């Protein structure tokens, strides 16, 4: 391999890692809900879409950027709290399939509400981030991808600090470890679930703005949830660290596979390679790299 081939490989790898941080951002929304309530929130993608569409629609109507951001944040917090209170709290202790179907139906309701409120047209979202690539040691890096990855990393660090160093965070971890033990020591599960759904709404807001600026705000944006699934399978559904590491692995591997394996299979490998990798992990380690192993008693 020549020096220029090596630089190109590093450039592809860096681009994949930056994309992986964006995948992790969506996956963390899943992990927050799943750890505390055991619900696979399939509506997370629709929440990402709703956040991006609300923000860009407010900006287009002449509302200042900062105020639009504040209003959208309040809307997403209210949406997360409402979902927990009205939809999922009455379904506590129901089967996982019932909960999954509830969030799947909720996904279509949120998309329909977004369509009724803001219309179906495609919007461009400009966050004021320059996307001109810059060169570092002969490697071209996207300015937008780097800044977006930095924002996502800062948010992940903030959430991690919140859940590890605050009283609510410690309560969250206790509920994630054992709901019945947490209930026995006096923790209020509904309050914790409401807080977690609020955090999931905030994650959806950040993810919606970054992905909306990258791809445009359109209804296919909700399908970004499908990119989070192999991340969750790889890292583990109940691990924030797993969501981060899984996103980096998925992002890097799919870019490298497209460049170096794609020519041998006709291209298009980036669209399905992550799922093939997730399938292999399922066969070898069903709980994921960082997920909690379950022990079946006979």
């Amino acid at each position: 391999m020549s020096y220029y081939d090596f630089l190109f490989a590093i450039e592809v790898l860096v681009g994949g890692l930056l994309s992986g941080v964006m995948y992790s951002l969506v996956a963390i929304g899943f992990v927050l809900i799943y750890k505390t309530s055991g619900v696979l929130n399939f509506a997370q993608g629709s929440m990402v879409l709703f956040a991006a569409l609300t923000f860009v629609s407010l900006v287009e109507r002449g509302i200042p950027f900062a105020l639009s951001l504040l209003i959208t944040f309040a809307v997403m917090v209210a949406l997360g709290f409402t979902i927990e209170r009205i939809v999922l709290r009455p379904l506590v202790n129901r089967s996982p399939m019932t909960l999954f179907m509830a969030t799947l139906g909720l996904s279509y309701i949120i998309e329909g509400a977004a369509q009724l409120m803001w219309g179906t047209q495609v919007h461009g979202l400009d966050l004021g981030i320059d996307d001109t690539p810059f060169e570092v040691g002969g490697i071209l890096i996207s300015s937008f991808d780097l800044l977006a990855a930095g924002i996502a990393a800062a948010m992940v660090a903030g959430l991690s600090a919140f859940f590890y160093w605050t009283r609510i965070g410690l309560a969250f971890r206790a509920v994630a470890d054992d709901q019945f033990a947490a209930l026995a020591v006096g923790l209020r599960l509904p309050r914790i679930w409401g807080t977690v759904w609020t955090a999931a709404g905030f994650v959806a807001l950040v993810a919606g703005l970054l992905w909306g600026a990258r791809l445009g705000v359109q209804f296919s944006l909700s399908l970004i949830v499908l990119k989070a699934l192999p991340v969750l399978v790889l890292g583990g559904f109940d691990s924030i660290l797993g969501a981060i590491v899984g996103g980096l692995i998925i992002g890097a591997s799919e870019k490298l596979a497209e460049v170096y394996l794609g020519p041998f299979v006709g291209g298009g490998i980036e669209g399905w390679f992550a799922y093939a990798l997730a399938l292999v992990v399922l066969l070898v380690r069903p709980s994921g790299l960082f997920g909690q192993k379950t022990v079946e008693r006979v």
Side-chain angles (χ1 to χ4, degrees):
M1 177 183 291
S2 68
Y3 175 72
Y4 295 103
D5 290 336
F6 175 75
L7 287 181
F8 177 70
I10 296 298
E11 185 175 313
V12 172
L13 176 62
V14 171
L17 291 173
L18 295 178
S19 296
V21 176
M22 300 276 282
Y23 295 158
S24 298
L25 187 59
V26 181
I28 285 174
F30 281 91
V31 172
L32 292 176
I33 304 300
Y34 188 83
K35 277 181 72 70
T36 54
S37 58
V39 177
L40 180 60
N41 178 28
F42 206 77
Q44 188 69 23
S46 296
M47 293 172 67
V48 170
L49 166 68
F50 191 85
L53 195 56
T54 299
F55 175 80
V56 73
S57 297
L58 291 174
V59 171
E60 288 177 350
R61 284 161 173 77
I63 299 177
F65 185 97
L67 183 58
S68 297
L69 185 62
L70 185 61
I71 293 173
T72 306
F73 173 71
V75 169
M76 294 310 299
V77 168
L79 177 63
F81 187 80
T82 302
I83 290 173
E84 189 280 327
R85 177 63 62 89
I86 297 178
V87 179
L88 292 179
R89 187 177 298 185
L91 297 177
V92 171
N93 296 326
R94 299 295 181 92
S95 68
M97 181 56 68
T98 298
L99 295 171
F100 172 75
M101 292 304 297
T103 62
L104 183 60
L106 186 62
S107 174
Y108 287 101
I109 292 174
I110 293 174
E111 288 192 26
Q115 181 176 341
L116 287 173
M117 292 173 61
W118 307 118
T120 59
Q121 64 270 27
V122 178
H123 303 264
L125 177 55
D126 183 12
L127 298 179
I129 303 175
D130 186 18
D131 198 20
T132 304
F134 63 94
E135 185 175 343
V136 178
I139 300 172
L140 291 177
I141 301 176
S142 167
S143 300
F144 176 84
D145 286 348
L146 184 62
L147 185 56
I151 293 173
M155 197 206 69
V156 169
L159 284 174
S160 298
F162 174 79
F163 285 115
Y164 276 91
W165 301 107
T166 66
R167 294 183 62 184
I168 296 178
L170 293 175
F172 164 82
R173 293 168 60 193
V175 172
D177 289 337
D178 192 326
Q179 290 188 10
F180 294 106
L183 190 61
V185 298
L187 294 179
R188 299 176 59 185
L189 297 189
R191 179 184 177 187
I192 296 171
W193 288 333
T195 301
V196 170
W197 273 94
T198 299
F202 172 67
V203 171
L205 169 61
V206 178
L209 295 183
L210 294 179
W211 278 106
R214 190 181 197 187
L215 303 177
V217 180
Q218 51 192 318
F219 276 79
S220 61
L221 189 64
S222 63
L223 298 179
I224 194 62
V225 67
L226 299 178
K227 278 293 188 180
L229 293 180
V231 173
L232 294 167
V233 171
L234 183 63
F237 281 84
D238 56 357
S239 172
I240 293 179
L241 176 61
I244 298 170
V245 175
L248 294 175
I249 293 176
I250 292 295
S253 62
E254 67 177 13
K255 296 294 184 183
L256 292 172
E258 177 65 28
V259 171
Y260 293 105
L261 298 181
F264 297 101
V265 295
I269 192 173
E270 183 177 354
W272 56 263
F273 184 80
Y275 299 94
L277 182 60
L279 179 59
V280 172
V281 173
L282 275 176
L283 295 174
V284 177
R285 190 180 176 87
S287 60
L289 298 178
F290 297 91
Q292 184 176 359
K293 293 182 178 180
T294 57
V295 180
E296 296 184 359
R297 296 181 179 180
V298 181

